[in-house]
Amino acid sequence: MPNFVYGFTRSELQDGRYLAIEEWLTTDYQKGPITRVAIFDLENKLVTRLATVKKGFVDSFKLKNNIFTYNKTYHGNSKVVESAVDWNLITQWSDAYL
């Protein structure tokens, strides 16, 4: 079974049906941070993962009017990039227990 590492940044969405959380792809200080958003559908036991963010963190997860938004924070250059994804376009869900 794969090992996953999650950060402290997380948000419940749609009254607790979904959990968006920061997933760490490396804990190697020289390579990272390398993170991405993992969204768990707690009702259907599914997970989807968004694009990888190199040298940055993800946070501020929100779902409003079918738009999922989050920030990519790059501490090395004090840059914050706001990102938005149409919720209906998130279609690559897989079994959360694989």
Side-chain angles (χ1 to χ4, degrees):
M1 178 170 228
N3 291 322
F4 296 101
V5 178
Y6 299 102
F8 291 106
T9 304
R10 64 191 75 207
S11 294
E12 289 184 12
L13 309 170
Q14 288 191 347
D15 297 322
R17 175 173 176 184
Y18 298 98
L19 175 67
I21 190 166
E22 179 183 52
E23 182 176 48
W24 284 59
L25 301 176
T26 183
T27 56
D28 183 327
Y29 183 79
Q30 297 300 319
K31 294 179 183 177
I34 301 174
T35 64
R36 66 181 170 193
V37 179
I39 304 171
F40 290 87
D41 178 338
L42 301 176
E43 185 175 295
N44 294 307
K45 298 179 178 81
L46 299 172
V47 63
T48 190
R49 291 173 168 89
L50 303 185
T52 300
V53 177
K54 294 183 179 180
K55 301 292 184 184
F57 300 93
V58 292
D59 58 33
S60 302
F61 312 120
K62 295 179 184 124
L63 178 59
K64 185 175 180 181
N65 298 324
N66 268 350
I67 302 295
F68 177 73
T69 60
Y70 64 101
N71 289 340
K72 300 174 190 173
T73 303
Y74 303 92
H75 292 290
N77 60 9
S78 301
K79 182 177 172 184
V80 176
V81 177
E82 294 180 16
S83 297
V85 178
D86 183 324
W87 189 256
N88 296 316
L89 297 179
I90 300 174
T91 58
Q92 295 185 2
W93 295 90
S94 59
D95 189 325
Y97 295 107
L98 293 180

